[in-house]
Amino acid sequence: MSVTEHLQAPAGTTPGEVTLPGAFAAVAERATSDPEGFWLDAAQAIDWDVYPTSALDDSAAPLYRWFPDARLNTSYNALDRHVLAGRGETTALIYDSPVVAKSKRYSYSQLLQKVELCAGMLAEAGVVAGDRVVIYLPMIPQAVVAMLACARLGAVHSVVFGGFAAKELAARLDDAGAKVIITASGGIEPSRVVEYLPTIVEALALSSHTVTTVVVKDRPEVAGSAAEYSSPGTEWLDWHERMLAAEPHAPVSVAATDPLYILYTSGTTGSPKGVVRDNGGHAVAMTWSMKNIYGVHAGEVMWTASDVGWVVGHSYIVYGPLLAGATTVLYEGKPVGTPDAGAFWRVVSDYRVKTLFTSPTALRSIRKADPHAHLAKKYDLTCLDALFLAGERLDPDTWTWATALLEKPVIDHWWQTETGWAIAASPYGIERLPLRAGSPSFPSPGYNVEIVDDAGRRMNAMQEGHIVIRLPLPPGTLSTLWRGDQRYIDGYLSAFPGFYLTGDSGFFDRDGYLFVMGRTDDIINVAGHRLSTGSMEQVLAQHPSVAECAVIGLHDAIKGQKPAGYVVLKSGADIEERVLALELVAMVRNQIGAVAAFKEVTVVASLPKTRSGKILRKTMRQIINGEEYVVPPTIDNVEAIAVIVATLATN
Ligand code: COA
Ligand code: AMP
C-alpha cells in the first residue's frame, strides 16, 4: 500500500486512492512504484569502487540482496572521502564524558588516522575480510574507531553492550565465531565501576570457540590491563602499545552484499539472534535517512544519546552522521545523575547540537527529576532544531511535555534492530508535516506497511492488527540472521507469506498516521532496552525450588516496562520467598546482566494455562497491568487467574 493511499482514508474503510500534493507524498510514491529506480538514484550519494548497475537481486526470495554487482568500502565513505574533499579539519566526533570529566574533539583527518592504525593493528592480529571481531567497549572513542577499522578491513564487527554478563557474551562469541575481541579495562556507571576483564575471561572459559586475540584499552579509571590477564590459546594485547606499533591500513573493497556487522538482539527464545547488515544497502539507507528523515547535512551536529551497543548507536552515533559528513557526539553519561537532569541540555548547548535523538525513557527520567525544566532553562538551546525519539512507544504525555519545553518538533519514529532505520517517521528533512501525539507518523519511503488480522486479511483504518511490511524490505534492513537463513524465514517471513512480520501491533488512523501499540510476542522493552522474557524464564527455571515460571512485562512509569517473575514452587520445596527472590534476582543478573533490571519475584500457587499447557502470559500481563482481558476458551485452570489477581491485590 502506498503512502498516498494511507494519507486520506474515508472513515471505516480501507484507506483509499487519494493523491495529495506535497514533497513527501511524491517521494513516497516514487519509492513504492519504482523502488529499484528510487534506490539506484539514492545510491549516487555513495562513492563506489564498482558502481551498481542493478538494485535488487530477488533470485533467492524471500531473501533479497541490494546492489548485487556493486563494491565499496564503508569506512572510506565515512572518513576518507570527506578528507579527500577538503573537509579533513571538520569535526567528526566529539567525545563528552561527565563520568571521567573529559571532552575531546576529533577532526575527520584525526579520526581517519586512528582508524587506519586500528585496521593495521587488527590486520597484524590476523584479521582479514569476513572475519568476526567482537567489540565489548564502553562509550569511548575507541568503540567508534574499532567499528570503522573492522569496516575498513571488510571484517564483520559485532558490538556487545557492556551491561551484558559473561554468559551472554559467550553466546555471542560462539555464534559469531569471533577471532578477536576488542575491549577495555571497564566502564563507569554512576554508582559503580564495571570491570570488564573478569567478564571477558569468564566468557572465554564458557565459550566453546577459541578467540585468538584480546585487545585491551587500559583506562586509568578502571583496574585491569592486558598484562594482568591470560587465557588458554588467546593472546592479550595492549591497545595503546599495538596502535603505536601499527602501520596504517588502506580500505579493502568489499561486495555491497558482504556483511558489515552482526548485531545480536533478543528473540522470543533464549538464544539471541544475529541481525546481519550488509555494506552497500546500509550505506545508501543511512545516507538517505540522514538527509530526508533527520534533515542533517555535512558539517551539522547530531547527537544520539544512546549506546553503541544498540542499533540506534550503530546507525546514528556512528555510521549515519559520519557517512553524511556531519559531526557526531559520543556521550558517556546518563540523562540524570551525571551530575543532574540538566546534562542533556548542557551537551546540546555546549556543542551546538542541531538534532538530538534519544529514548522516551531518558526524557521521562529527566522530567521526573526536573518536572518544570528549571535546569533546561539554564542553557541556550536555540541551536536545537528537532528532537527525535525511538526505542519504545512515545507516550502522549511525554510528547506534550517535551514539545512545550523545547518549542521545537518532537518527532517519534518507530524502528527495530532488524530494520536499522525508521520504518515510520515524520519525514522532517523532506517536509514538515503535522505531528500527532502517540504516532510515529507515516511509513518511511521504501517500507510498504500494512495491518493484517490473524488470518492475514488487510484491516481497515482504526482497526488494530499485526503490523507487517510487504517484501522486499528497503536497503539497510537485515539481509538475514547470522548463519540462520531458515531461522529468519521461519521467524519473520512465514507467518504472512510475502510480508515481514514486525512483531508489533498497531493501526492506521483515518488520515494515515500509524500508531504502534506494543509487541505481540514475549519481547519486552525496559528503559529502551529490548529483552526477552523467555531468556529470563530459562534462568529462573534452573533454580532447584522452581517448578515453573513466567516473566511478564509490568508497566513502569519511567522505564516503560519492567520484568516481574511469577514462580510456582516444586512440591516440598522448603525456601523462604524472600530468600528465593534474592537468589533468582542474582541469577538473572549473573547470567544475563544488570541491564535486565530484574528485581521482582512473586510466588504463586499455579500459572494460568491453556489445555495444551501453554502459559497465558498475555492474559497475565493484562491482569497484572490492570488492562481489560478475555480468558481464552481453551484455558485449563481458571482458578489460577483468580490466584494471580488475589496475589497482586496483596502486593
Ligand atoms: N554497563 C554495565 N552496566 C550497565 C550499563 C553498561 N553499559 N548500562 C546499564 N547498566 C546497569 C546499570 O548500572 C543498572 O545497574 P544496577 O541494577 O546496579 O543499578 C542496570 O544496568 C539497569 O540499568 P538501567 O536500565 O539503565 O537503569 P538505571 O536506573 O541505571 O537508569 C535510565 C535509568 C532511564 C537513566 C537509563 O536506563 C537510560 O538512560 N535509558 C536510556 C536508554 C537508551 O538510550 N536506550 C537506547 C534506545 S534509543
Ligand atoms: P529494538 O530492536 O531494541 O530497537 O526494539 C524494537 C522494538 O522497540 C520495536 O519492535 C517496538 O516494539 C519498540 N519500539 C521502538 N521504537 C518505537 C516507537 N517509536 N514506538 C513504539 N514502539 C517502538
Side-chain angles (χ1 to χ4, degrees):
M1 182 187 298
S2 73
V3 168
T4 45
E5 281 179 275
H6 284 308
L7 282 174
Q8 278 189 357
T13 66
T14 302
E17 292 280 355
V18 183
T19 306
L20 290 186
F24 171 59
V27 173
E29 189 51 48
R30 165 100 204 281
T32 307
S33 59
D34 176 20
E36 301 200 33
F38 181 88
W39 290 113
L40 277 173
D41 282 356
Q44 290 176 21
I46 295 302
D47 279 6
W48 302 91
D49 300 327
V50 177
Y51 202 85
T53 59
S54 85
L56 187 67
D57 172 8
D58 61 3
S59 59
L63 304 179
Y64 296 86
R65 300 182 331 151
W66 285 95
F67 311 115
D69 60 358
R71 297 187 74 83
L72 78 163
N73 181 278
T74 297
S75 96
Y76 176 89
N77 275 279
L79 299 169
D80 306 54
R81 71 169 168 157
H82 305 308
V83 175
L84 292 170
R87 303 188 54 253
E89 294 318 304
T90 303
T91 303
L93 175 71
I94 301 170
Y95 167 56
D96 183 284
S97 173
V99 296
V100 296
K102 263 191 206 151
S103 164
K104 192 167 176 186
R105 285 172 187 266
Y106 297 80
S107 67
Y108 270 94
S109 296
Q110 289 167 331
L111 190 58
L112 172 59
Q113 263 175 17
K114 301 241 175 255
V115 169
E116 285 175 322
L117 291 175
C118 183
M121 166 174 80
L122 288 172
E124 220 166 285
V127 175
V128 295
D131 284 343
R132 275 79 58 208
V133 175
V134 160
I135 298 174
Y136 189 71
L137 282 170
M139 287 284 284
I140 55 177
Q142 287 73 17
V144 180
V145 171
M147 289 166 78
L148 291 165
C150 291
R152 195 163 192 82
L153 292 177
V156 183
H157 63 68
S158 185
V159 183
V160 179
F161 179 64
F164 281 119
K167 195 162 172 260
E168 291 288 323
L169 176 58
R172 287 155 174 78
L173 292 173
D174 278 341
D175 193 75
K179 194 176 217 175
V180 170
I181 302 176
I182 303 180
T183 188
S185 45
I188 296 147
E189 287 293 291
S191 57
R192 67 205 154 95
V193 166
V194 184
E195 286 184 25
Y196 281 9
L197 301 188
T199 305
I200 299 283
V201 171
E202 194 186 336
L204 289 173
L206 288 170
S207 164
S208 50
H209 166 84
T210 302
V211 170
T212 57
T213 309
V214 176
V215 184
V216 181
K217 159 73 186 148
D218 188 354
R219 303 187 80 189
E221 302 82 8
V222 190
S225 65
E228 296 162 55
Y229 283 84
S230 63
S231 43
T234 306
E235 189 180 18
W236 287 63
L237 303 176
D238 177 73
W239 168 284
H240 186 64
E241 278 174 17
R242 301 320 306 162
M243 284 287 275
L244 282 176
E247 292 292 326
H249 205 293
V252 173
S253 184
V254 297
T257 52
D258 282 344
L260 170 68
Y261 69 77
I262 306 168
L263 181 56
Y264 286 90
T265 189
S266 302
T268 47
T269 66
S271 62
K273 299 181 287 196
V275 164
V276 177
R277 196 90 58 217
D278 67 10
N279 274 275
H282 173 256
V284 171
M286 286 296 103
T287 308
W288 187 90
S289 67
M290 285 297 296
K291 178 174 170 217
N292 294 286
I293 293 184
Y294 300 99
V296 175
H297 304 93
E300 295 177 337
V301 184
M302 178 172 195
W303 173 30
T304 299
S306 177
D307 189 290
V308 287
W310 309 117
V311 68
V312 170
H314 280 61
S315 293
Y316 297 111
I317 296 176
V318 183
Y319 288 110
L322 297 178
L323 284 164
T327 299
T328 186
V329 181
L330 184 77
Y331 172 72
E332 189 186 19
K334 302 273 172 176
V336 292
T338 55
D340 58 30
F344 272 27
W345 316 128
R346 175 195 54 86
V347 173
V348 168
S349 164
D350 278 1
Y351 306 118
R352 311 311 295 155
V353 171
K354 178 187 176 198
T355 304
L356 170 61
F357 176 172
T358 187
S359 61
T361 295
L363 272 196
R364 286 195 297 266
S365 61
I366 293 172
R367 181 184 179 186
K368 185 174 176 218
D370 183 21
H372 303 293
H374 293 310
L375 292 167
K377 287 172 195 135
K378 280 174 45 184
Y379 298 97
D380 173 11
L381 303 180
T382 48
C383 53
L384 192 67
D385 197 41
L387 167 63
F388 284 80
L389 295 163
E392 60 186 297
R393 181 163 188 266
L394 173 59
D395 53 287
D397 202 32
T398 304
W399 181 75
T400 307
W401 178 80
T403 305
L405 162 67
L406 296 171
E407 297 177 339
K408 301 278 161 66
V410 175
I411 301 175
D412 182 15
H413 59 329
W414 166 61
W415 47 302
Q416 312 179 311
T417 305
E418 289 85 344
T419 65
W421 62 287
I423 309 168
S426 189
Y428 190 65
I430 303 176
E431 190 178 355
R432 311 281 155 101
L433 293 169
L435 299 165
R436 209 162 268 192
S439 167
S441 298
F442 307 109
S444 301
Y447 288 99
N448 294 306
V449 174
E450 295 193 13
I451 311 290
V452 297
D453 67 11
D454 288 343
R457 287 179 297 246
R458 201 160 124 176
M459 300 184 78
N460 291 335
M462 302 309 292
Q463 291 180 327
E464 185 172 340
H466 302 275
I467 313 182
V468 295
I469 307 169
R470 188 179 286 281
L471 295 174
L473 297 178
T477 53
L478 80 170
S479 43
T480 187
L481 294 177
W482 180 248
R483 292 180 178 151
D485 285 352
Q486 197 55 46
R487 191 175 174 198
Y488 175 41
I489 293 170
D490 294 345
Y492 296 88
L493 309 178
S494 299
F496 302 106
F499 292 90
Y500 166 89
L501 179 70
T502 65
D504 282 299
S505 75
F507 62 91
F508 282 105
D509 75 6
R510 294 191 178 101
D511 301 315
Y513 283 79
L514 180 66
F515 286 75
V516 181
M517 304 312 290
R519 299 284 310 188
T520 54
D521 52 20
D522 293 330
I523 287 170
I524 58 171
N525 208 306
V526 182
H529 307 141
R530 171 166 158 183
L531 298 164
S532 151
T533 53
S535 66
M536 292 187 226
E537 288 172 5
Q538 274 180 17
V539 175
L540 303 189
Q542 291 164 12
H543 194 284
S545 297
V546 171
E548 56 183 356
C549 60
V551 173
I552 308 291
L554 300 192
H555 176 72
D556 182 84
I558 299 295
K559 296 191 175 187
Q561 284 185 299
K562 62 179 174 187
Y566 294 84
V567 298
V568 178
L569 295 184
K570 282 185 183 155
S571 64
D574 183 20
I575 187 164
E576 258 185 65
E577 186 165 344
R578 189 183 53 84
V579 174
L580 176 70
L582 287 175
E583 290 179 6
L584 293 177
V585 166
M587 281 170 74
V588 174
R589 194 175 171 96
N590 292 337
Q591 292 191 37
I592 297 180
V595 69
F598 180 82
K599 305 222 158 117
E600 291 185 28
V601 176
T602 305
V603 174
V604 290
S606 60
L607 295 169
K609 287 190 202 153
T610 60
R611 260 177 226 126
S612 61
K614 195 169 176 290
I615 297 172
L616 292 165
R617 292 180 177 77
K618 184 174 169 197
T619 313
M620 285 179 69
R621 190 179 69 222
Q622 288 167 327
I623 296 173
I624 296 164
N625 284 328
E627 296 161 11
E628 272 182 31
Y629 64 93
V630 180
V631 179
T634 51
I635 189 155
D636 194 25
N637 48 347
V638 177
E639 68 279 8
I641 296 224
V643 171
I644 288 176
V645 174
T647 311
L648 290 163
T650 57
N651 275 314

